[in-house]
Amino acid sequence: MANPVIRNSLFDDFFRDVAPGYFIKPLHGDPLPRAAQIRVDVKESDTGYVVLAEVPGVGKDDIQVSIDGGVVALRAEIKQQDSPSSGEKLLRGERYYGAVARSFQLPAEVDPAQAKAKYDSGVLTLTLPKKLPSAAQRLTIE
């Protein structure tokens, strides 16, 4: 069986040579990431979870994190654009706007009041403490 990577590459090369107008590559930057491209590492301890998510090229104000029980949802707004340097004339400009989102289920519920998020050098670090089980409450029978 043929290697799909090679076959796709040959397929792309064929159409790039035959119909080059259909393969317009951006002048800069990378294409928008897909949801699966937000790579996450999840580590568990007795008290909680640490999630490391790669979200390169995104400002921290453009990242949203929500927690609902044990479900963590990440969303990032992607904005890329070129600005010409002084003395340059812009002949073609390309801008990319879009959003990527990803959610996943953790084995236990998270305490959202104690959760913390930090973003540094393209990596979002979430510290998510496990929700402590509530103590059983005895009801008085009237």
Side-chain angles (χ1 to χ4, degrees), residues 3 14 19 29-30 34 43 48 60-61 75 85-86 89 96 106 108 112 119-122 132 139:
N3 185 345
F14 171 75
D30 298 324
R34 295 184 308 265
K43 300 174 186 177
K60 73 175 186 176
D61 295 334
R75 179 177 168 81
S85 302
S86 62
K89 180 179 176 184
Y96 300 94
L106 295 172
Y119 184 67
D120 186 35
S121 301
L132 298 174
L139 297 178

Side-chain angles (χ1 to χ4, degrees), residues 28-134:
H28 77 91
D30 298 324
L32 292 175
R34 295 184 308 265
Q37 289 178 312
I38 298 178
R39 306 218 190 285
V40 295
D41 294 334
V42 181
K43 300 174 186 177
E44 182 179 14
S45 69
D46 292 338
T47 58
Y49 304 97
V50 174
V51 177
L52 302 173
E54 291 181 3
V55 196
V58 177
K60 73 175 186 176
D61 295 334
D62 295 326
I63 300 173
Q64 300 167 359
V65 179
S66 62
I67 300 167
D68 184 12
V71 177
V72 178
L74 306 173
R75 179 177 168 81
E77 297 287 329
I78 310 293
K79 300 172 189 169
Q80 294 178 350
Q81 71 182 57
D82 271 342
S83 56
S85 302
S86 62
E88 291 182 335
K89 180 179 176 184
L90 181 66
L91 297 178
R92 176 178 164 185
E94 294 185 352
R95 289 162 192 80
Y96 300 94
Y97 298 99
V100 292
R102 181 168 186 185
S103 62
F104 50 91
Q105 175 79 43
L106 295 172
E109 286 193 32
V110 172
D111 184 358
Q114 302 297 319
K116 295 180 182 175
K118 179 182 172 188
Y119 184 67
D120 186 35
S121 301
V123 177
L124 176 67
T125 303
L126 303 175
T127 305
L128 308 172
K130 292 179 182 177
K131 192 172 195 176
L132 298 174
S134 58

